[in-house]
Amino acid sequence: MKFCFNGCLILGTLDGANVEIAEEVGEENMFIFGAKVDEINDLRVKMSQTNPSDYVGPELRRVFSEIEKGTFGNKEELTELLNTVRNHNDFYLVCHDFYSYLEA
């Protein structure tokens, strides 16, 4: 569920509630990044069959490094989360969407 107020910024992927919001306010009034709904299944298959070093670029490796140092909280818990992304299990397409997020 999303709640938007007049003048708010919406930064998100075009899935779930953001699809409905885009229909009401127009995509031009949102900062959209990442895969579209119709691309997700194919991307999940592709990412599960691709070596993570092929889709984790230097910027994202730097973020991972900072997480592993404990910069953003409990490094043990967050490293476990990172391992799911790095081990062919990026179900939420974090690595795929990261670079378009930077551009948004």
Side-chain angles (χ1 to χ4, degrees):
M1 182 174 175
K2 304 269 177 153
F3 175 76
C4 299
F5 220 127
N6 286 342
C8 73
L9 300 176
I10 300 174
L11 173 68
T13 56
L14 196 54
D15 60 0
N18 287 341
V19 172
E20 296 167 356
I21 294 170
E23 289 171 356
E24 294 297 322
V25 303
E27 283 185 46
E28 67 277 4
N29 295 306
M30 301 171 69
F31 297 94
I32 301 296
F33 68 93
K36 307 289 189 270
V37 172
D38 60 332
E39 302 170 317
I40 291 174
N41 289 333
D42 290 340
L43 282 168
R44 284 182 178 152
V45 170
K46 178 183 175 188
M47 303 256 321
S48 71
Q49 298 171 350
T50 303
N51 186 331
S53 64
D54 292 339
Y55 57 76
V56 178
E59 298 91 345
L60 192 52
R61 277 195 296 275
R62 181 171 176 217
V63 172
F64 288 176
S65 175
E66 291 300 317
I67 290 170
E68 290 171 324
K69 290 179 191 175
T71 303
F72 303 111
N74 184 309
K75 66 180 181 179
E76 287 79 22
E77 290 177 3
L78 294 173
T79 298
E80 287 181 34
L81 180 63
L82 286 182
N83 288 338
T84 66
V85 171
R86 290 187 285 210
N87 296 323
H88 302 283
N89 190 26
D90 189 6
F91 185 80
Y92 295 105
L93 304 174
V94 172
C95 295
H96 176 273
D97 292 351
F98 178 76
Y99 296 96
S100 62
Y101 168 78
L102 294 178
E103 293 174 12

